[in-house]
Amino acid sequence: MDTLDLFRLDGRTAIVTGGGRGLGRYMAEALSDAGANVVLCSRKKEPLEEVRDEIEARGRRALALECDVTRGEDVERVVSTAVETFGNVEVLVNNSGATWGAPPDEMPPEKFDRVIAVNVRGTFLMSQAVGRCMIERGSGGTVINVASIAALVGGNPDYMQTVGYNASKGAVISMTRDLATSWAKHDITVNAIAPGWFPTRMSGGLIERFEERMLSDIPLGRFGNPEDLKGVVVFLASPAAAYITGQTIVVDGGATAW
C-alpha cells in the first residue's frame, strides 16, 4: 500500500456529532475530503443542511439528522439511519459539546448538570450505540472523542471559569481509555483529540474580549485554524493510526507545554 493511501477513507462512513458548526464542521469536511460518507447530527438541523449541501456539491455523500445526544432514542435513530443508508458505520467523532461560564462558587448546579449531560452522557450514549454496531458487524472501527486542553490544566481565572466543562472533558479522556481497553479485542480503536483555542461560536466571545491575554499563553502565538485539526482527525480515523488506541492528541499550539 502506498503510504498516502493509509490516510484514505474511501467507502467508510463517519458519524460526526455537532457537525454543523466550528470544530465539528472542520472535521466533517476533512473526513469527506478523505473519501468518507458523512452523517452530520446535532440538535439544530439547519446548519447541518448547509454543511451537507457543501459536501454534496463536491461530489461526496452526506446526511443531516437532528439529534439530541443526551436522548437515547435520538442516538439510536441516527445510528440506524446511517446503517440503513450507507451499510455500516466505521468512524464516530463525538464532538457535540456544551459549556457554561461562572466561578466555581457561583456555578448554577443545573448548568453544571447540563454540561455533564451533553459532554459525558452524550459521548457515552453515542459511543455505546456505535460500538454495539461495530461489535455486531465484527469488522472493527474507530471512535474519536473531542476533549479539550481544559481537561489537562486548570482554567485561567482571568478569562476561563468553566468548572463543569473542564470536569466533563476530563471524564471524556478517562472514558476514552476505558473504551479503548474494553473494545480492543473487537479491533475498535478509541482515541481523543484535545484542542486548544480555536475560534468558534463557543469560544468567540472570550477571544473577542481577551485575545491578547490568551495569545500570550500560546507558545506559537496564534489560535488554531481548520487545517490544524483536519489532518489530525483524518489520521486518527484512518488505517495510518491502526496501532494507536487509548491516547489523547493535544492540538494547542504548545499551550500545555509551558
Side-chain angles (χ1 to χ4, degrees), residues 141-153:
T142 300
V143 177
I144 302 167
N145 296 324
V146 178
S148 168
I149 61 169
L152 306 173
V153 295

Side-chain angles (χ1 to χ4, degrees), residues 68-73 75-76 79 92 94 117 120-132 175:
D68 180 343
V69 295
T70 69
R71 295 169 54 88
E73 57 268 35
V75 168
E76 294 292 343
V79 176
L92 167 64
N94 281 309
V120 183
R121 175 182 168 85
T123 294
F124 171 70
L125 289 180
M126 188 62 77
S127 296
Q128 184 184 56
V130 173
R132 286 171 173 165
M175 189 191 308

